[in-house]
Amino acid sequence: MKPRVEVVAIDCLMVRLFDEIAETNMPWMLAACARLREGFGAHLIDLVPSYTTLMVHYDLLALSPARARELIGQALIELKPDTQAGGQCHVLPVWYDSSVGPELSLLAQRSGLAVEEVIRRHSGREYQVFALGFAPGFAFMGLVEEALAAPRLNTPRKRVAAGSVGIAERQTAAYPVESPGGWNLIGRTPAKLFDRGRDGYSLMQPGDRVRFEAIGHAEFVNLGGDDTPLEVLA
């Protein structure tokens, strides 16, 4: 690992720890986050972790850009992965069905698997939250196995229902609010992923782990899920 510091804005620096996305990156990212928060203290305005980078937004009235670089350098000295900080583990119930996940059958055809096997494989492993972005509470998770990987849609949908679960390349995610989107949709969760009344707003944070649990239609509705078919929303 050879960290690089890049300028993002007059009061923001980007710390690039890795060049490739990997599940093994996160323990290093969490360790760096802890060190940077300690080093910058009250002069840190925001710290945004992503797949391979950390954006450091600092108080320019309190620190010069040169001093900010010094603090970053000091924080990364003898950095070791944080193997203890694994974040929370969330279990998200999902109703996998073509009416709310129109690409479910297409993914099955693409992979040569039965629909039931696609569901079993997607819900059969634990995913890591790499980053939040695109929409409030939208957690980019991975990595899905190669057999389920699929490119984004050529033409994004204008409306994707809140709770929609999808796959793009080797990432998976659930839409926290209704929005446009181009991911391959395979189901829907009734879980409330973004809540203004929740501390931190988002249910998930980088470093958390997520497991999807297949449920039936009746349970989905009982849990408050909206079963309006996607084609009705379009």
Side-chain angles (χ1 to χ4, degrees), residues 122-212:
H122 183 260
S123 60
R125 66 187 304 172
E126 200 171 79
Y127 300 99
Q128 190 173 79
V129 177
F130 288 112
L132 299 180
F134 171 64
F138 191 100
F140 292 86
M141 298 175 259
L143 296 166
V144 300
E145 59 178 282
E146 290 280 5
L148 302 184
R152 288 174 171 82
L153 303 180
N154 291 330
T155 302
R157 292 183 171 91
K158 294 181 180 180
R159 297 178 68 187
V160 174
S164 295
V165 176
I167 292 175
E169 304 299 344
R170 293 195 63 196
Q171 299 177 96
T172 188
Y175 287 74
V177 295
E178 182 182 297
S179 69
W183 290 44
N184 299 273
L185 305 183
I186 59 176
R188 195 176 291 174
T189 178
K192 194 169 187 179
L193 305 172
F194 178 76
D195 185 353
R196 294 182 184 276
R198 178 188 292 130
D199 184 25
Y201 303 125
S202 175
L203 174 65
M204 295 169 283
Q205 297 295 327
D208 285 356
R209 293 160 291 123
V210 176
R211 183 170 59 82
F212 297 101

Side-chain angles (χ1 to χ4, degrees), residues 200-234:
Y201 303 125
S202 175
L203 174 65
M204 295 169 283
Q205 297 295 327
D208 285 356
R209 293 160 291 123
V210 176
R211 183 170 59 82
F212 297 101
E213 182 178 71
I215 60 173
H217 177 256
E219 184 175 357
F220 174 76
V221 173
N222 287 338
L223 290 172
D226 179 2
D227 62 354
T228 303
L230 191 66
E231 61 183 19
V232 175
L233 295 173

Side-chain angles (χ1 to χ4, degrees), residues 55-82:
M55 188 181 74
V56 182
H57 183 194
Y58 60 92
D59 185 352
L60 191 60
L61 297 179
L63 297 174
S64 68
R67 179 54 181 159
R69 283 179 176 269
E70 287 179 6
L71 291 175
I72 290 173
Q74 292 169 6
L76 299 181
I77 293 175
E78 296 184 354
L79 183 69
K80 295 181 180 179
D82 190 343

